Amino acid sequence: MASTPFEYKKSLITKAKKNKQHRPINSAFIKNTKLLLRDTQGLTSLIYIVIGMPIAILLLNTIYDAIDTRLIGDQMAMMFNVLVILLLAMSTNIDIAHVFSQEGASAYLNKTIPQPYVSTLSTKLVLNGVAMSGSLAVAVSIFVQSAGYSSAVTVYMFLALECVYLSHLLMSAELDIMNPQNQQYATTGEHALNPNDVRSSVYAYIMSIFVAGGTFLLATDDNSTVWVKAFCVCLAFLALRVWLYVNKVSIYYKER
Amino acid sequence: MKKANLIIIIVIYIASIGLISFLGMEVSVLDPVIPVTEVQCINEEDNYTTIGELRGNMLITLTFTTAGNAADLSGTILQLYWRVYPDNASNSEVKFVYDTTNTNVEFVTDGDGRQTGTILFYAKTVIDVQIIATDGTKISTTVTIAVV
């Protein structure tokens, strides 16, 4: 017959793996990485943006370079570069706004790991954060090379944008922690109108516009120190978000 | 990423190019009009003429010998030299305004009817010649010519 029965001719390749003992935090990281790798949609979206963002910035600056701009045009180019980089980077954080709820009924397992909640939950953010930070560094380098800024500006600009990105990452995670949608994901496996996703998107737009507009205004005032000032503000904001994240995890993940 | 976010980013991406092209481009004026700011008579003294000043104007004095002849440019003639500032003025043409009722004087014109600045004198006379820019600014300088 043309078909092969799967019931009794199934190839059973089983390899016995030795059970290794990991540190709790490593174990949580490996588990969350595997979960991300099995989520085809989320992984594809992340890879597209990680690779696509530097290419998009390269293309954008190639077009800008072809325009004979004056000073205000150069400042606008910087503003739009920042805006596009942040919007693309933060768009990956929208998936973080349901990363804990996505586990549905098994989300409670996070509470069973005998470790501080913050470290366990944060392992879910690591892979996304590292991948996008690398992409962000490449995108910033491409822009700076095109604009002809100094290496010091490159570092400050990257650090400022990284702080904004990480702040939004933590904000998105906080949204899911404060308003979990486990029931919805446990029932249907998806949530088309997740309010946390919507809020994360809105925050992404607001923060991108605020940072891009702020750097534009600072650049019109004093172009030399704009990224130092921006970095200081963004670092302070990140410190605030880290403090709020740690506090909210400890409050909302307390067993009632 | 949701479709709506992707569409918004693409719109911002394209709009940024349009905005920079519209508001951020270097302004370059093609073929600007540069007006005349000053006209100077730059005649210098030689064996036949002396340069002086009369009532704030340049005074050119020359001696009458014989009547000027337009055919071979002989006799008592004077070539006026002038300079228009700035050097890159859009229209550096000038015209000469003088007392046309004075029959002792004639300005030589070229084939197109333009005055060349060459003056023929038929007798002793004194005449004021105003060299005026023709670009519409009416910038001018006046030269007094005395043929004695």
Side-chain angles (χ1 to χ4, degrees):
Chain A
M1 299 296 284
S3 62
T4 302
F6 65 90
E7 291 91 348
Y8 58 90
K9 278 197 171 181
K10 193 175 171 184
S11 63
L12 294 168
I13 302 167
T14 51
K15 285 182 183 174
K17 284 184 181 175
K18 194 180 176 185
N19 210 8
K20 286 182 186 174
Q21 187 181 357
H22 294 287
R23 288 173 59 201
I25 193 159
N26 290 351
S27 185
F29 178 71
I30 291 165
K31 182 207 111 183
N32 290 324
T33 307
K34 281 179 180 173
L35 280 175
L36 179 70
L37 294 174
R38 286 171 189 168
D39 177 15
T40 316
Q41 195 184 347
L43 185 66
T44 316
S45 174
L46 180 63
I47 290 171
Y48 276 151
I49 294 174
V50 166
I51 297 170
M53 186 166 77
I55 296 170
I57 294 302
L58 179 67
L59 180 66
L60 190 67
N61 283 289
T62 307
I63 297 168
Y64 287 163
D65 287 346
I67 303 170
D68 183 19
T69 50
R70 52 188 165 139
L71 181 63
I72 192 88
D74 293 339
Q75 287 162 351
M76 285 172 74
M78 184 193 74
M79 179 184 75
F80 282 118
N81 267 288
V82 171
L83 186 64
V84 171
I85 287 173
L86 284 179
L87 280 175
L88 284 168
M90 290 190 199
S91 65
T92 59
N93 292 342
I94 296 167
D95 288 339
I96 298 294
H98 56 252
V99 74
F100 305 119
S101 301
Q102 212 167 15
E103 292 185 17
S106 59
Y108 73 93
L109 288 171
N110 286 329
K111 297 184 178 182
T112 64
I113 300 170
Q115 282 291 308
Y117 296 134
V118 173
S119 58
T120 310
L121 295 176
S122 300
T123 55
K124 275 191 174 292
L125 316 178
V126 172
L127 199 66
N128 206 314
V130 169
M132 278 317 298
S133 297
S135 180
L136 195 67
V138 177
V140 169
S141 304
I142 289 168
F143 163 58
V144 168
Q145 197 173 9
S146 171
Y149 294 151
S150 65
S151 53
V153 172
T154 315
V155 173
Y156 280 118
M157 188 179 187
F158 168 70
L159 290 175
L161 297 185
E162 179 70 8
C163 287
V164 177
Y165 167 74
L166 291 176
S167 302
H168 185 254
L169 182 79
L170 296 177
M171 282 173 81
S172 301
E174 278 173 35
L175 288 171
D176 199 25
I177 289 164
M178 292 191 297
N179 183 23
Q181 305 290 315
N182 301 56
Q183 289 294 330
Q184 183 72 23
Y185 282 99
T187 313
T188 60
E190 59 181 21
H191 197 338
L193 288 170
N194 189 337
N196 299 331
D197 288 4
V198 176
R199 280 197 198 110
S200 178
S201 300
V202 172
Y203 288 156
Y205 290 122
I206 292 170
M207 287 170 70
S208 301
I209 291 167
F210 185 78
V211 173
T215 50
F216 175 71
L217 291 176
L218 284 173
T220 51
D221 185 39
D222 180 9
N223 203 14
S224 58
T225 57
V226 53
W227 285 107
V228 180
K229 290 175 187 170
F231 169 63
C232 292
V233 174
C234 295
L235 186 66
F237 185 62
L238 177 63
L240 174 71
R241 293 320 312 183
V242 169
W243 182 75
L244 284 170
Y245 174 74
V246 171
N247 276 284
K248 283 176 183 173
V249 167
S250 60
I251 291 166
Y252 284 88
Y253 256 67
K254 199 174 274 184
E255 195 65 62
R256 297 181 186 93
Chain B
M1 193 197 297
K2 287 187 176 175
K3 272 184 188 173
N5 293 325
L6 186 66
I7 290 167
I8 290 171
I9 291 170
I10 290 171
V11 167
I12 290 171
Y13 194 92
I14 295 167
S16 74
I17 298 165
L19 275 171
I20 289 179
S21 303
F22 187 68
L23 299 172
M25 269 185 75
E26 189 71 57
V27 179
S28 58
V29 180
L30 296 172
D31 196 18
V33 175
I34 301 171
V36 173
T37 55
E38 187 183 359
V39 177
Q40 273 186 3
C41 180
I42 56 171
N43 277 57
E44 290 182 352
E45 277 194 1
D46 55 23
N47 295 333
Y48 309 103
T49 57
T50 55
I51 306 296
E53 191 179 327
L54 181 68
R55 299 190 300 272
N57 298 331
M58 180 186 262
L59 171 66
I60 301 174
T61 309
L62 65 159
T63 310
F64 181 80
T65 51
T66 57
N69 187 346
D72 56 1
L73 293 176
S74 61
T76 308
I77 61 171
L78 176 69
Q79 174 64 54
L80 285 176
Y81 298 103
W82 64 93
R83 186 170 177 184
V84 172
Y85 292 92
D87 292 330
N88 60 342
S90 300
N91 183 359
S92 57
E93 295 283 319
V94 293
K95 66 179 180 182
F96 302 92
V97 176
Y98 61 100
D99 180 10
T100 52
T101 59
N102 188 339
T103 53
N104 294 328
V105 175
E106 183 186 346
F107 275 71
V108 178
T109 54
D110 61 11
D112 297 327
R114 284 182 301 193
Q115 294 166 323
T116 59
T118 307
I119 312 167
L120 307 175
F121 295 96
Y122 300 127
K124 293 179 180 179
T125 185
V126 175
I127 187 167
D128 284 341
V129 179
Q130 197 178 13
I131 308 171
I132 302 179
T134 58
D135 68 338
T137 55
K138 295 187 176 175
I139 300 289
S140 67
T141 185
T142 303
V143 181
T144 303
I145 303 166
V147 182
V148 292

